[in-house]
Amino acid sequence: MKYRLLDDFEFEAATPLEACETLRGQLMVPEPTIEEWLKGSAFRAKQWSGAILRTDTPEHHIEDMIAAGLLTKLE
């Protein structure tokens, strides 16, 4: 699956977890675990755009990012 962020950064990921790991790796100082990144990403999304992102699974998080327009699925 190929994705694009609002800043036009494009990447490929085979699974939602891999997509989250890729996004986590884009931070200058990434959170130590994927669980912490999910929470941090949800906090940043809420502050930036008001979007509510679930943090229970990478699948839900990516679905919510797409629904909020923060991430676009390209294929």
Side-chain angles (χ1 to χ4, degrees), residues 27-55:
L27 296 174
M28 291 184 71
V29 181
E31 284 92 348
T33 66
I34 194 66
E35 292 80 11
E36 290 177 81
W37 177 82
L38 290 169
K39 291 175 186 171
S41 172
F43 176 79
R44 289 185 292 275
K46 174 90 169 127
Q47 295 293 329
W48 185 71
S49 69
I52 304 295
L53 307 180
R54 291 174 286 178
T55 61

Side-chain angles (χ1 to χ4, degrees), residues 7-69:
D7 65 0
D8 290 329
F9 172 71
E10 292 185 9
F11 65 97
E12 292 188 31
T15 66
L17 176 59
E18 188 178 329
C20 289
E21 290 287 2
T22 298
L23 294 172
R24 178 175 160 238
Q26 294 302 306
L27 296 174
M28 291 184 71
V29 181
E31 284 92 348
T33 66
I34 194 66
E35 292 80 11
E36 290 177 81
W37 177 82
L38 290 169
K39 291 175 186 171
S41 172
F43 176 79
R44 289 185 292 275
K46 174 90 169 127
Q47 295 293 329
W48 185 71
S49 69
I52 304 295
L53 307 180
R54 291 174 286 178
T55 61
D56 57 333
T57 67
E59 291 82 2
H60 288 156
H61 198 77
I62 294 297
E63 287 173 8
D64 293 347
M65 287 184 75
I66 292 168

